[in-house]
Amino acid sequence: MTALSQAPTRADSPAAERSLTGSLGTAAIVMMVVAAAAPLTVVGGAAPLGILLGNGVGFPAMYAISAVVLFLFAVGLSAMTRHVPKPGAFFTFVGYGLGRPAGLATAFLALLTYTAIQVSVHGYVGYILSVTVTGLGGPDLPWYLYSLATILLVGILGYRHIDLSSKVLGVLLVAEVAIVLALVAAVTFSGGPEGLSLAPFEPNNVLSGSPGIGLMFAIAAFIGFEATAIFRDEAKDPARTIPRATYIAVIGIGVFYTLASWSLVMAWGPSGVLAQAAEDPGAMILITTLKFLGPIGEVIMNVLLITSMFACVLSFHNVITRYQHSMSNAKVLPDVLGSVHHKHFAPHVSSVVQTTTAAVLVAIFAVLGLDPVLEVFTWFAGVATLAIAILMAITSLAVIVFFARTGTDKRIWNTKIAPALGLIGLAGSAVVIAVNFPMLVSDVNADGAPAFGMVSAVLLGIIVLFPAIGLVQAAVLKRTDRVAYDNMTEAISG
């Protein structure tokens, strides 16, 4: 049988100069991927929108439902990490399970996913910084200057060893989780205006409003947890560290989001939370914090919202650079992207390329006059949400096929049942997201119903284009450079 692999390095490019090394433990990897999920940004930004545009009081249940589906996905993902000892995550696993063309198509779709979510948050953080600085009496500078400054700082950290990024992310993550838990505790002890209840989990509330929209916001909040496998070469004990980090990340994120959004509902009461979200969804978390933690708590929350977004883009920067590194070593991206810095042991060229890509995209959005929140953030977060659901569904299928063909793992739950259930849940989620996609990009009829207009067509077209590039490249390589095509795979024992 065949499996996706890093190709042999050239004589003038020693393996030592193209291999990533490190000693990241479970905690460091968990912090890396949970930071990408941006818990405070989700609680402060996505949760109010999920309540307002989704299923209202029942929105917290969507986080629990999403966590269950993604846990099932994580079971198969973790099983693959034990039997496929290579980085690359989606790229590698789909290549092993479904073959070279599918793996390459998935790789390009993954690059689109992570680039889209990163640049969307760059737009949001630029806007927040601009408003905050202006509000404090500072100069009124356009959002994109703050975005470009953030990109530069992220690029500097991404250029250096991964341990530095993990330490920065760890500090920021602990701080944002702590402030949210303090708010949860304050709401719980106060009892809220209508008392504490399980109203968000009652079936009539879960199915109220637009549960499909709620599901979109919920799944989008988990983007990043699955990237644990990307850091395999930099993990201390990858066979144990990667599966453990994956489970901790998805369970931890699911519990945290469910608890935090439940407390947000309790803070205003089931009968009043929708009105509060409608009044100002962007400021809802700050208003809630002011109400329960006072002015000092509000200031801390505002600062940590900004650092949460920074942690998010830094984490995704590291993920993207490692995807490009793996693809380069598989000879499907330029060879230079696979090089590793002799001192920092980081894929420094890949980091510079990703920094440049983000800066160019932000510059283009600025020239086009796009709104940093309503267009840059919303549109590209929508692209990433649909793309990640498709990626996970394809990966679940690849897991099932891989173990059915190789028989290397006899655990039925890990290799068949859980991945199959995850596939069903993710495929269903992808369909729901696709149908409601126009809502994310404001393509609606006069009555508010989804309508596939120009914006939807272009963004959905991008989601189709990127995997198509991978399929075309695979076909071209197969016909014109069979050595390069074959170097994407190597024989392994069954």
Side-chain angles (χ1 to χ4, degrees):
M1 56 164 290
T2 58
L4 204 70
S5 167
Q6 294 180 357
T9 54
R10 303 174 317 188
D12 62 340
S13 181
E17 296 180 2
R18 300 183 64 84
S19 299
L20 295 173
T21 60
S23 57
L24 296 177
T26 300
I29 295 177
V30 169
M31 287 183 178
M32 200 82 63
V33 298
V34 173
L40 184 53
T41 302
V42 168
V43 174
L49 289 173
I51 292 171
L52 178 62
L53 303 177
N55 52 330
V57 176
F59 178 67
M62 289 302 175
Y63 284 131
I65 293 171
S66 297
V68 171
V69 172
L70 296 177
F71 175 81
L72 294 170
F73 164 78
V75 172
L77 188 75
S78 297
M80 286 290 277
T81 63
R82 296 179 183 276
H83 297 275
V84 180
K86 299 180 184 300
F90 295 132
F91 170 39
T92 306
F93 297 160
V94 173
Y96 268 75
L98 303 179
R100 301 178 185 90
L104 196 49
T106 302
F108 278 97
L109 186 57
L111 282 180
L112 171 65
T113 300
Y114 294 129
T115 300
I117 194 64
Q118 186 196 40
V119 77
S120 73
V121 179
H122 274 308
Y124 207 143
V125 75
Y127 166 78
I128 292 296
L129 283 171
S130 176
V131 171
T132 301
V133 171
T134 303
L136 294 174
D140 185 9
L141 300 177
W143 66 270
Y144 52 83
L145 293 182
Y146 290 102
S147 294
L148 291 173
T150 303
I151 290 170
L152 176 60
L153 181 56
V154 166
I156 292 172
L157 290 172
Y159 188 91
R160 299 175 65 84
H161 196 283
I162 190 68
D163 285 343
L164 177 60
S165 291
S166 70
K167 291 174 182 176
V168 173
L169 291 171
V171 172
L172 298 180
L173 181 62
V174 169
E176 61 181 285
V177 169
I179 189 66
V180 172
L181 292 180
L183 179 59
V184 171
V187 171
T188 301
F189 289 136
S190 72
E194 299 176 21
L196 304 180
S197 71
L198 295 178
F201 307 100
E202 295 175 359
N204 60 311
N205 288 326
V206 175
L207 299 176
S208 65
S210 302
I213 301 297
L215 183 63
M216 282 193 292
F217 281 105
I219 289 181
F222 285 81
I223 295 178
F225 93 88
E226 75 293 334
T228 50
I230 288 292
F231 301 100
R232 181 182 184 89
D233 283 350
E234 294 156 287
K236 186 182 302 181
D237 182 7
R240 299 177 58 188
T241 301
I242 299 302
R244 187 181 301 165
T246 304
Y247 286 129
I248 292 175
V250 69
I251 294 172
I253 292 173
V255 171
F256 181 82
Y257 287 160
T258 303
L259 178 63
S261 57
W262 169 82
S263 69
L264 202 58
V265 173
M266 294 300 104
W268 300 98
S271 65
V273 68
L274 195 57
Q276 183 60 43
E279 184 175 322
D280 190 350
M284 186 177 182
I285 189 66
L286 296 177
I287 296 172
T288 306
T289 303
L290 177 63
K291 178 180 178 181
F292 289 92
L293 295 180
I296 295 179
E298 181 192 22
V299 172
I300 295 174
M301 181 68 80
N302 198 8
V303 171
L304 291 178
L305 271 172
I306 296 173
T307 60
S308 173
M309 294 179 193
F310 176 78
C312 174
V313 291
L314 174 58
S315 184
F316 276 121
H317 176 90
N318 287 328
V319 169
I320 297 168
T321 56
R322 281 149 184 80
Y323 245 109
Q324 291 175 164
H325 176 269
S326 293
M327 292 175 67
S328 173
N329 283 344
K331 302 303 179 186
V332 294
L333 283 183
D335 191 70
V336 68
L337 292 176
S339 60
V340 175
H341 196 280
H342 70 281
K343 178 180 179 181
H344 301 305
F345 304 105
H348 61 300
V349 177
S350 181
S351 177
V352 171
V353 169
Q354 175 52 31
T355 299
T356 303
T357 299
V360 169
L361 287 173
V362 166
I364 291 173
F365 298 152
V367 171
L368 293 176
L370 298 185
D371 183 276
V373 177
L374 298 179
E375 294 173 331
V376 175
F377 177 74
T378 304
W379 290 0
F380 291 94
V383 169
T385 303
L386 178 55
I388 199 68
I390 295 172
L391 279 169
M392 290 182 179
I394 294 173
T395 303
S396 293
L397 178 60
V399 169
I400 296 170
V401 173
F402 173 78
F403 286 115
R405 186 172 66 236
T406 64
T408 53
D409 194 325
K410 303 299 183 182
R411 297 174 298 171
I412 297 178
W413 166 254
N414 298 73
T415 63
K416 293 181 174 62
I417 298 177
L421 293 174
L423 172 60
I424 293 171
L426 289 164
S429 298
V431 171
V432 171
I433 293 170
V435 170
N436 290 278
F437 187 83
M439 294 292 290
L440 283 180
V441 297
S442 300
D443 271 350
V444 295
N445 292 320
D447 61 358
F452 287 87
M454 179 61 70
V455 175
S456 296
V458 171
L459 295 179
L460 289 174
I462 293 174
I463 295 176
V464 174
L465 174 64
F466 269 72
I469 292 174
L471 292 175
V472 170
Q473 184 184 21
V476 170
L477 285 176
K478 187 175 182 179
R479 295 185 60 183
T480 62
D481 192 346
R482 189 58 191 237
V483 173
Y485 182 78
D486 290 340
N487 277 342
M488 285 194 292
T489 63
E490 66 176 5
I492 64 173
S493 59

